[in-house]
Amino acid sequence: MVTLYLSGNHIIALVGAVNGKKLTAQKLYTHRFEEPMMSNRKIINVEAYQKALEEFFKQNNLPTRNINLILTSSMFITKMVELPVMQPKELMGYIPREFNDVENRKEPIYGCSVINTVFKQEGQNEKGRKYQHILAAMIEREALDDVYDMMRALKLKVSSITMDQANIIRLMGRLPQVVNNTCIVQIMQGNSMTNILYIDGKYTYSTNSRLFSEIDTPGYGVEIARSVSNIIQFMKAQQIDAQIKNVYVAGISPDTFTYVDEGIYQINDQIQTDWISGEGIIDWRIEGQELTDCISMIAGLQTESGKTTIKKQYMKHSPRGKAMLAAIKNWSLVVGVALIMIIIMIVLGVQYFSNSARIDVANAYLTNPTVAQEKAEYEQLLSSNELTTQQITYVQGVKKAIQSYPLCNSQVLEDFEACVDGLAKVSVTSFDSASGTMTTAMTAEDVQDINQLVTRLIEDDMFTNIEYTGYTYNENAWTVNVVFTLSASVGRE
């Protein structure tokens, strides 16, 4: 497997392997550009970038398949959000709303990565519900088009596209240092710093910020240490009753580590500062490079799949992606049809030879005079009964059609009220017996109750289709118009 990191300043490739929960780093290669190659979240000169990437793969004899692509964070706009657990399709309906405040969005592609799931008690008398920490991302389609054009031109097979921040948060949560520990992980990449807070080993909060002091100076170390104080203040504001025990750092020099250690000691002398260690999880075999300087690359060995990933959403919504999917489906269809035809030919051949003898016996039977006379009598009786048969069939069809129409009787309404279960106030405004549609208005103080109710009703066998539109907010309550199509025979069983 190859983790390929593309940014405006350099190209980095890590060759490694994943064996169960263990990540192995085998080789690391880097190419640095003489001048920045990205601006405004896009590649400036695609042709020059592609040439550099081609030479990079040739010189280092890198594998061209099973590539996990990591795009620089400057190409994305990301937000960490907390949402109730929901299905991928419903989740992708929420993600674009998180970026409504972003101006000049040009054909955006949205995706997200689920970091973890937490359970929250919403009230003393409530059972609580599950929430997910989700890293939502937006990238312009044109930027991804440029990247995919390069990949196709160089015949590089991309298995997944992941986000640096999500990879790091998931990997850090697996480290023995972090598991069941209340700690802060700090990862520096030049003047960029990522802080991640884990409470009892569970991801809770993270920040990304830019450091303004010169690297490897006392001021640089003070800025890093000061961010620990900011996270402690966040915990107090959120009334998180926990004490930070450790701060684990990566991406800094030993001298800077000393500045950071001293700064954190002055903030709280009970907090221990240490380097990030991959013991038990990461097998680092690269000489001349420290693991703590390459956290994002080893984290990139964690691939992602699913309907909410950037790659899947790009393939779904981009015209080029749709064309690729269509081509794959067409070829799959051709191969499938060919295999089916071959199987059919074999089956027909066997049946032809096995049925030849039966046909000869049948022909001898049909030419027998006695059989011919009985056949004539049968055809006469069949003709006389034809009209009666047609009438019976017609009557049965009418009866069956009538019985298939749904009824909106008291039993149906009782079942419907059982599904509602107090989540919302429902008013039935009309029922069309011809089409089996029931029009309602649902009202609730919390719009999530309406969404939860609609999801529950969708899963009920009583309805074949549910359509809802027109959210309105009036007198401290949300109202939405919902049209249900009853299943055939509902109310008649």
Side-chain angles (χ1 to χ4, degrees), residues 89-265:
K89 184 177 181 180
E90 187 179 2
L91 176 59
M92 290 312 302
Y94 275 90
I95 295 303
R97 305 178 192 177
E98 299 295 332
F99 297 93
N100 286 337
D101 58 335
V102 179
E103 298 180 353
N104 300 322
R105 293 179 293 176
K106 298 179 180 178
E107 298 182 281
I109 299 293
Y110 301 98
C112 65
S113 179
V114 177
I115 302 302
N116 66 348
T117 301
V118 295
F119 184 83
K120 285 192 173 183
Q121 189 77 26
E122 298 180 333
Q124 294 182 352
N125 299 324
E126 296 186 16
K127 296 181 180 179
R129 62 191 306 182
K130 290 182 178 180
Y131 285 81
Q132 291 177 325
H133 286 118
I134 294 172
L135 181 64
M138 184 191 78
I139 186 171
E140 291 184 9
R141 194 192 75 189
E142 184 181 351
L144 271 182
D145 284 341
D146 290 340
V147 172
Y148 265 95
D149 284 344
M150 291 193 302
M151 297 296 111
R152 284 193 293 268
L154 301 179
K155 298 181 180 180
L156 303 180
K157 305 299 181 182
V158 177
S159 59
S160 67
I161 299 177
T162 57
M163 292 174 283
D164 190 20
Q165 185 179 353
N167 293 340
I168 291 174
I169 292 175
R170 283 196 298 269
L171 177 60
M172 295 301 100
R174 294 172 53 193
L175 298 181
Q177 291 173 304
V178 176
V179 173
N180 297 325
N181 191 10
T182 297
C183 61
I184 298 172
V185 174
Q186 296 186 309
I187 299 175
M188 272 59 67
Q189 294 175 307
N191 287 103
S192 177
M193 175 174 64
T194 298
N195 282 292
I196 312 170
L197 171 65
Y198 295 90
I199 303 297
D200 295 329
K202 297 179 180 179
Y203 169 83
T204 304
Y205 176 68
S206 63
T207 62
N208 289 301
S209 57
R210 182 175 178 79
L211 302 175
F212 296 95
S213 300
E214 184 178 350
I215 296 175
D216 289 341
T217 63
Y220 183 75
V222 169
E223 278 194 75
I224 297 172
R226 189 183 298 129
S227 66
V228 174
S229 177
N230 294 338
I231 292 181
I232 292 175
Q233 294 302 317
F234 164 81
M235 293 173 63
K236 290 180 179 179
Q238 297 296 316
Q239 298 182 349
I240 299 176
D241 186 17
Q243 298 295 322
I244 301 297
K245 301 176 183 177
N246 304 92
V247 174
Y248 299 111
V249 298
I252 59 176
S253 67
D255 289 340
T256 300
F257 178 88
T258 301
Y259 302 143
V260 173
D261 187 28
E262 292 175 353
I264 293 175
Y265 182 82

Side-chain angles (χ1 to χ4, degrees), residues 270-281:
Q270 299 300 310
I271 299 176
Q272 301 295 317
T273 308
D274 202 352
W275 295 97
I276 289 175
S277 169
E279 183 178 357
I281 296 294

Side-chain angles (χ1 to χ4, degrees), residues 11 23 222 307 312 345 370 416 453:
I11 301 172
L23 308 177
V222 169
K307 297 179 180 180
K312 288 290 186 181
M345 291 294 290
T370 304
F416 182 75
L453 174 56

Side-chain angles (χ1 to χ4, degrees), residues 275-344:
W275 295 97
I276 289 175
S277 169
E279 183 178 357
I281 296 294
I282 301 172
D283 182 6
W284 187 258
R285 302 180 183 180
I286 301 174
E287 297 181 359
Q289 288 283 351
E290 295 294 333
L291 166 64
T292 54
D293 294 330
C294 306
I295 291 296
S296 63
M297 295 305 298
I298 190 69
L301 291 176
Q302 304 170 113
T303 59
E304 279 192 277
S305 61
K307 297 179 180 180
T308 64
T309 62
I310 287 291
K311 180 182 178 183
K312 288 290 186 181
Q313 290 299 310
Y314 172 75
M315 299 294 284
K316 180 178 180 180
H317 297 290
S318 167
R320 300 184 190 183
K322 290 179 179 178
M324 291 173 62
L325 285 177
I328 292 172
K329 290 180 179 179
N330 289 338
W331 276 107
S332 300
L333 180 61
V334 170
V335 173
V337 169
L339 290 174
I340 292 173
M341 291 300 295
I342 292 172
I343 294 172
I344 291 174

